[in-house]
């Protein structure tokens, strides 16, 4: 009998298994899919490296710093700042968060009105000093209400905050909790945005190193008995002293019979190959206008190895669940790219892959944190490790895995670490 069975080889499950294995426990991870990583995976398509959607790593995430060997990931920073697209017009925005001074000196840009540039600098000064995790406390409201209360103009909301934080929280309406906004703003100040040279999947691969992971096995039912848990799977029944459920929230709800589902934020990603560079930008491209594209990135400009020699790779993010077939989605996104780059260049883009992700994150409106589930479940011997217990994202998933492992180990320091620390 295993000491611990971990269900799900996403970042939460891998982190839990890694901490427990390092502490000497006999741990086995069961993963329904054909590879590890859950939502953080990469694949090769015709020599291009495509991540599962457009994902980046905030290097300041505390759990990332504790659990990952960042040097071994060969991280490539995405240049700070962004390019704000308004149709054919492209304005480079200084780095409003890490280097607010750059906004003041970038006289060429007309993206943010001067008073708003000063407000960004003021916000950065306010958020720079408290311990980052304390930014998750205090009164809550939507990010939009918070920014308006700080005095930001609608122009700045539309041109920077909606598309940039729309890309982070997968909602352009800025309805996400202002606590999370403040925490992520601080993460952006304390570190960089980067991607592993060989793809985000390297993060999952590193966490999985040395772990006992069985792929292609789906857990269907959990039953608690005194001193052990029986685990029904598509490959037969197993037993363990303890079980950690680290699946997506909807599956966790089914396995635990608990109200863990929080809904899903969906998104779609269009990966385009290009035989020549039509845009030298390695910065994020933010669409300030209403349309299909929220943000886009010539990832091969920032990370040349992501495309074969002489080729280029563009990824365009469409938020939500587009209610049109792929061909129509592709046509709409191309039409917007044609406005950005001209008809002729847009025609030479080759559609490599269109990916729709049903559950990318869960919605986190103001006040969401009041309803977070804990790690304990109603099934004796069964714990939950999921971004659900903290915040939707890499930090939330990894810290949840750490905490579930700390509970198994009786590690008081790990158990009492605050959310976001
Ligand atoms: C497109 C996209 C963009 C994102 N951008 C960012 C970002 O920029 N920054 C950030 O911090 N976060 C981002 N996220 C969120 C981040 O990827 C997730 O929060 C995190 O990966 C969740 O990890 P997890 O382990 O909790 O869940 P998952 O990754 O969902 O892993 C759950 C695992 O459980 C397995 N499983 C499910 N059911 C069973 C079963 N019955 N039996 C066995 N196995 C099962 C699944 O196959 C899966 O491998 C993004 C996510 C997506 C999809």
């Amino acid at each position: 009998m295993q000491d611990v069975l971990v269900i799900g080889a996403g970042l939460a499950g891998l982190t839990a298994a890694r901490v427990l294995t390092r502490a000497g426990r006999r741990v086995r991870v069961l993963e329904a899919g054909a590879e590890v990583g859950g939502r953080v995976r990469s694949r090769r398509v015709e020599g291009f490296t495509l991540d599962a959607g457009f994902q980046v790593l905030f290097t300041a995430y505390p759990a990332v710093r504790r659990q990952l060997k960042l040097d071994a990931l060969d991280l490539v920073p995405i240049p700070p700042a962004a390019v704000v697209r308004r149709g054919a017009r492209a304005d480079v925005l200084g780095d409003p968060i890490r280097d607010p001074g750059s906004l003041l000196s970038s006289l060429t840009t007309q993206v943010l009105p001067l008073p708003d540039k000063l407000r960004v600098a003021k916000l950065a000064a306010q958020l720079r000093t408290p311990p980052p995790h304390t930014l998750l406390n205090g009164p809550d409201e939507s990010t939009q209400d918070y920014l308006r209360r700080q005095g930001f103009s609608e122009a700045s909301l539309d041109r920077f905050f909606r598309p940039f934080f729309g890309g982070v929280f997968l909602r352009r309406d800025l309805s996400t909790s202002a606590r999370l906004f403040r925490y992520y703003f601080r993460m952006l100040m304390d570190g960089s945005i980067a991607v592993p040279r060989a793809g985000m999947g390297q993060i999952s691969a590193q966490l999985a190193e040395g772990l006992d992971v069985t792929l292609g096995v789906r857990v269907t039912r959990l039953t608690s008995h005194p001193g052990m848990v029986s685990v029904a799977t598509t490959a037969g029944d197993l037993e363990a002293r303890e079980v950690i459920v680290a699946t997506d929230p909807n599956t966790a709800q089914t396995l635990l019979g608990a109200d863990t589902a929080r809904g899903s934020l969906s998104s779609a990603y269009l990966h385009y190959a290009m035989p020549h560079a039509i845009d030298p930008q390695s910065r994020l491209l933010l669409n300030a206008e209403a349309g299909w594209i929220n943000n886009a990135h010539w990832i091969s400009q920032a990370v040349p190895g992501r495309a074969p020699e002489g080729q280029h790779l563009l990824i365009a993010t469409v938020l939500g669940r587009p209610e049109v077939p792929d061909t129509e989605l592709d046509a709409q996104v191309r039409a917007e790219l044609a406005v950005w780059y001209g008809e002729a260049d847009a025609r030479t883009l080759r559609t490599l892959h269109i990916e729709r992700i049903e559950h990318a994150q869960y919605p986190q409106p103001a006040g969401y944190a009041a309803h977070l589930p804990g790690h304990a479940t109603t099934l004796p011997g069964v714990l939950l490790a999921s971004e659900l217990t903290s915040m939707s994202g890499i930090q939330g998933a990894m810290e949840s895995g750490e905490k579930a492992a700390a509970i198994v180990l009786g590690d008081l320091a790990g158990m009492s670490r605050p959310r976001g620390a």
Side-chain angles (χ1 to χ4, degrees):
M1 181 162 57
Q2 299 288 323
D3 290 337
V4 185
L5 275 175
V6 175
I7 306 171
L11 297 188
L14 292 173
T15 303
R18 180 183 170 89
V19 173
L20 289 167
T21 302
R22 288 181 158 196
R25 297 300 167 100
R26 283 190 313 124
V27 182
R28 184 172 173 200
V29 184
L30 303 176
E31 165 56 47
E35 53 190 321
V36 300
R39 278 169 264 169
V40 180
R41 282 177 287 116
S42 305
R43 66 165 86 176
R44 299 277 290 172
V45 175
E46 298 176 31
F48 294 83
T49 303
L50 311 185
D51 289 334
F54 178 62
Q55 292 214 46
V56 293
L57 182 68
F58 287 24
T59 61
Y61 284 149
V64 160
R65 293 191 171 180
R66 281 190 295 273
Q67 296 298 335
L68 291 172
K69 288 177 281 188
L70 292 180
D71 286 353
L73 287 176
D74 195 7
L75 292 176
V76 183
I78 306 295
V83 174
V84 175
R85 300 282 334 193
R86 281 176 280 170
R89 178 176 179 162
D91 293 300
V92 175
L93 187 66
D95 183 356
I97 292 172
R98 264 172 293 165
D99 183 13
S102 71
L103 285 179
L104 304 177
S105 60
S106 52
L107 295 172
T108 49
T109 75
Q110 300 295 318
V111 181
L112 302 188
L114 180 63
D116 282 352
K117 294 180 179 181
L118 297 170
R119 287 185 186 103
V120 176
K122 192 172 147 208
L123 197 59
Q126 276 170 14
L127 300 180
R128 179 164 284 122
T129 38
H133 69 272
T134 61
L135 298 172
L136 292 170
N137 304 330
D140 207 0
E141 61 193 316
S142 72
T143 298
Q144 175 168 277
D145 287 349
Y146 174 69
L147 291 171
R148 284 182 176 153
R149 252 187 342 97
Q150 306 293 315
F152 284 100
S153 66
E154 294 304 310
S156 292
L157 261 58
D158 289 343
R159 292 174 190 169
F160 174 66
F161 290 105
R162 285 187 203 289
F164 185 84
F165 284 94
V168 174
F169 295 127
L170 306 183
R171 296 202 72 137
R172 201 179 162 97
D173 60 8
L174 298 175
S175 62
T176 303
S177 152
R179 291 180 180 179
L180 281 176
F181 168 81
R182 291 188 285 264
Y183 180 79
Y184 275 75
F185 193 102
R186 175 62 181 276
M187 291 295 110
L188 287 163
M189 278 196 280
D190 286 357
S192 57
I193 298 181
V195 290
R197 191 175 297 280
M200 288 292 283
Q202 293 298 307
I203 294 171
S204 310
Q206 190 186 98
L207 284 175
E209 267 166 30
L211 299 183
D212 176 0
V213 183
T214 307
L215 300 171
V217 173
R218 180 172 295 279
V219 172
T220 52
R221 202 177 58 252
L222 301 174
T223 315
S224 293
H225 307 281
M228 67 101 159
V229 182
S230 58
V231 177
T233 83
T234 47
D237 292 349
L238 298 166
E239 290 175 349
R241 278 182 238 288
E242 288 176 278
V243 167
I244 295 177
V245 173
T247 65
D248 57 277
N250 297 335
T251 309
Q253 165 138 325
T254 312
L255 289 177
L256 298 172
D259 177 22
T260 55
R262 293 288 177 271
S264 296
L265 293 178
S266 310
S267 43
Y269 300 87
L270 294 94
H271 303 258
Y272 293 106
M274 184 74 183
H276 60 275
I278 55 175
D279 188 344
Q281 267 311 332
S282 52
R283 297 181 170 95
L284 289 176
L285 308 175
L286 304 179
N287 188 6
E289 298 189 333
W292 292 80
I293 303 173
N294 179 72
N295 56 285
H297 188 224
W298 286 97
I299 190 147
S300 56
Q301 303 287 18
V303 193
R306 293 291 183 94
E309 189 72 28
Q311 292 279 320
H312 301 271
L313 178 61
L314 173 70
I315 175 161
T317 301
V318 174
L319 300 180
R321 193 185 292 111
E323 303 289 343
V324 293
D326 281 359
T327 45
E328 172 69 9
L329 179 62
D330 190 21
Q332 296 290 353
V333 168
R334 282 169 173 279
E336 286 181 11
L337 293 172
V339 176
W340 291 11
Y341 297 121
E343 289 284 350
D345 275 334
R347 255 197 305 275
T348 56
L349 290 166
R350 188 164 62 82
T351 310
L352 261 182
H353 182 57
I354 297 178
E355 182 170 32
R356 293 170 188 253
I357 299 182
E358 187 58 31
H359 180 85
Q361 290 181 21
Y362 62 90
Q364 302 170 100
Y368 90 98
H371 312 289
L372 296 175
H375 297 272
T377 73
T378 52
L379 296 177
V382 180
L383 292 166
L384 174 67
S386 160
E387 54 171 9
L388 276 173
T389 63
S390 176
M391 62 187 115
S392 195
I394 291 171
Q395 165 69 23
M398 290 181 68
E399 76 173 55
S400 182
E402 288 182 317
K403 229 178 238 172
I407 294 170
V408 171
L409 297 171
D411 162 17
L412 287 177
M415 281 154 76
S416 52
R417 188 180 290 126
R419 219 162 59 83

